[in-house]
Amino acid sequence: MKIRTAFRQGFQQVFTYYKIIGIVFIVNIFAALLVTLPFATQLNEQMAKQSDVEQLLAFDYSWWQELNLKNDGILETLRPSISSGLGTLFDNAELVLTGQFSQISWAVLSLGIVYLFVAAFLNGGILSLYLGEKRKFTVQRFFSYCGQYMNHMSAIVFTALLVFLAYYKLLLPGLFALVDFLTLSNLNQTVVWFANLGGFLILFLIMIFLDIIFDYAKIIVIREKKDSSWLSIWLAIKFTFKNFRTVTGLYLSVFIASGLALLVLAWIITMVPTVTATMIILAILLQQIFILVQIIFRLGFYGTEVSLYLNQAVSAQKVKKIKR
């Protein structure tokens, strides 16, 4: 199956069941409120004085250090960035790649883990609809599928957490210890920089590969009606290696398309001068569009992967019939 065909069919699935986008968006809003409301409340207490607001806008570093010493709880995550409005994107990408979770408060990290299982609940409904027959969408059927596959989706998420824990605790430090050992006697800083960049690239590709495997495990456990989530992960590994070029090519196509779209949107948001009430409202609306695009592409990953898997399954059945 050609990558562009799976890409097109996958996003057709996303927009066929467009109501799922709204459901996921509402869930994201509620999840965000659990973080932003206490954050805004605490920040408002810190910003009680008008002079503090003026200093915040001007960003006086000595004032920032004093404020930072007073921060506790969720406010510990508040920090400046040298990357303008794109700073959050870059900071979060670096955090996920290197596992510097100590920079996140335990409250936010705990909510993040809870959200993974909420997403697992929704994934059962999303994938069931994408894999099923073309039927009219109903909220009742969607949530029925969510509940039906919650145990399998949760088991796969729990396994993924254990695998990524091993990745952060063993693979990541081990790889960079090797990089440091190989570049220890090299005084050329350019060589050292590229060696570390190569290490990050390897880690990034490993993370992509793991994400692909767990995505197909979710598809297989529903499509093939497997009783074991771990068996589905093993079958996903076999499927991924067997169709390595197509699987990785499709994933990277969606990844690059989503990355470009989100960077453009993020750049547009940074161009909006939030100096008036109208501009602030516009910035908020653009941020919601940003979140919607993120959701569409996340669903697009599932849609394209489902399209590819179903096509490969049909092809395999045809080969078996010919051999008979």
Side-chain angles (χ1 to χ4, degrees):
M1 184 181 195
K2 292 183 178 179
I3 290 173
R4 65 172 178 269
T5 303
F7 192 98
R8 175 176 52 80
Q9 291 179 352
F11 278 92
Q12 282 178 348
Q13 284 272 61
V14 174
F15 292 109
T16 296
Y17 295 106
Y18 65 90
K19 292 181 181 178
I20 294 175
I21 300 171
I23 292 172
V24 177
F25 180 74
I26 292 169
V27 171
N28 273 265
I29 291 293
F30 278 109
L33 287 174
L34 291 174
V35 177
T36 55
L37 286 179
F39 183 89
T41 301
Q42 291 182 43
L43 185 61
N44 185 59
E45 292 173 358
Q46 294 278 21
M47 298 291 102
K49 298 180 181 179
Q50 181 67 27
S51 58
D52 284 344
V53 176
E54 292 172 353
Q55 285 178 305
L56 176 63
L57 294 173
F59 195 76
D60 182 283
Y61 189 72
S62 60
W63 166 84
W64 159 255
Q65 286 183 310
E66 183 182 350
L67 175 66
N68 197 37
L69 288 172
K70 300 176 184 176
N71 288 343
D72 58 0
I74 195 170
L75 276 187
E76 290 177 350
T77 62
L78 180 66
R79 63 184 185 273
S81 173
I82 61 173
S83 305
S84 183
L86 299 178
T88 303
L89 287 177
F90 295 140
D91 289 348
N92 288 342
E94 182 185 5
L95 186 149
V96 170
L97 190 61
T98 59
Q100 299 175 29
F101 297 111
S102 59
Q103 297 182 20
I104 304 178
S105 72
W106 281 106
V108 176
L109 189 59
S110 300
L111 284 172
I113 293 173
V114 170
Y115 180 79
L116 287 178
F117 287 95
V118 173
F121 173 74
L122 296 173
N123 286 340
I126 293 164
L127 291 172
S128 294
L129 290 175
Y130 288 177
L131 287 161
E133 299 177 4
K134 301 292 183 183
R135 299 168 65 185
K136 185 178 179 181
F137 176 88
T138 65
V139 174
Q140 182 180 1
R141 188 186 307 122
F142 172 73
F143 282 108
S144 173
Y145 287 143
C146 289
Q148 182 179 346
Y149 293 104
M150 178 59 181
N151 59 330
H152 288 303
M153 296 296 109
S154 296
I156 291 171
V157 167
F158 182 74
T159 305
L161 286 172
L162 293 178
V163 170
F164 278 104
L165 179 63
Y167 163 92
Y168 287 122
K169 294 295 184 181
L170 301 175
L171 183 61
L172 189 150
L175 178 62
F176 281 103
L178 178 61
V179 170
D180 290 340
F181 175 77
L182 295 175
T183 58
L184 185 63
S185 59
N186 198 313
L187 300 178
N188 190 328
Q189 292 302 307
T190 304
V191 173
V192 175
W193 187 87
F194 275 105
N196 280 275
L197 179 63
F200 279 116
L201 182 60
I202 291 170
L203 290 174
F204 175 69
L205 293 174
I206 291 172
M207 289 189 74
I208 284 179
F209 186 69
L210 291 173
D211 193 39
I212 289 172
I213 288 172
F214 288 117
D215 277 358
Y216 281 103
K218 296 168 193 172
I219 293 169
I220 289 170
V221 78
I222 295 175
R223 173 67 169 78
E224 308 302 337
K225 296 181 173 26
K226 297 297 182 182
D227 293 326
S228 170
S229 303
W230 285 358
L231 175 60
S232 298
I233 293 172
W234 170 243
L235 292 174
I237 293 171
K238 291 173 65 177
F239 177 82
T240 302
F241 275 107
K242 185 178 179 180
N243 304 278
F244 187 79
R245 277 186 63 184
T246 310
V247 165
T248 53
L250 178 61
Y251 187 98
L252 289 173
S253 297
V254 182
F255 182 86
I256 292 169
S258 64
L260 290 174
L262 292 173
L263 282 174
V264 170
L265 272 171
W267 177 78
I268 292 172
I269 292 170
T270 62
M271 293 298 103
V272 178
T274 53
V275 292
T276 65
T278 303
M279 290 295 101
I280 291 172
I281 292 171
L282 177 60
I284 292 172
L285 290 175
L286 287 172
Q287 288 166 354
Q288 303 317 303
I289 293 172
F290 182 90
I291 294 170
L292 279 171
V293 171
Q294 279 186 305
I295 293 169
I296 289 169
F297 275 106
R298 181 62 244 182
L299 295 176
F301 275 106
Y302 286 141
T304 56
E305 288 166 341
V306 164
S307 177
L308 176 62
Y309 183 81
L310 290 177
N311 184 273
Q312 296 301 101
V314 170
S315 298
Q317 288 177 352
K318 287 181 179 178
V319 170
K320 285 182 180 179
K321 287 181 180 179
I322 291 171
K323 287 182 177 180
R324 288 175 184 174

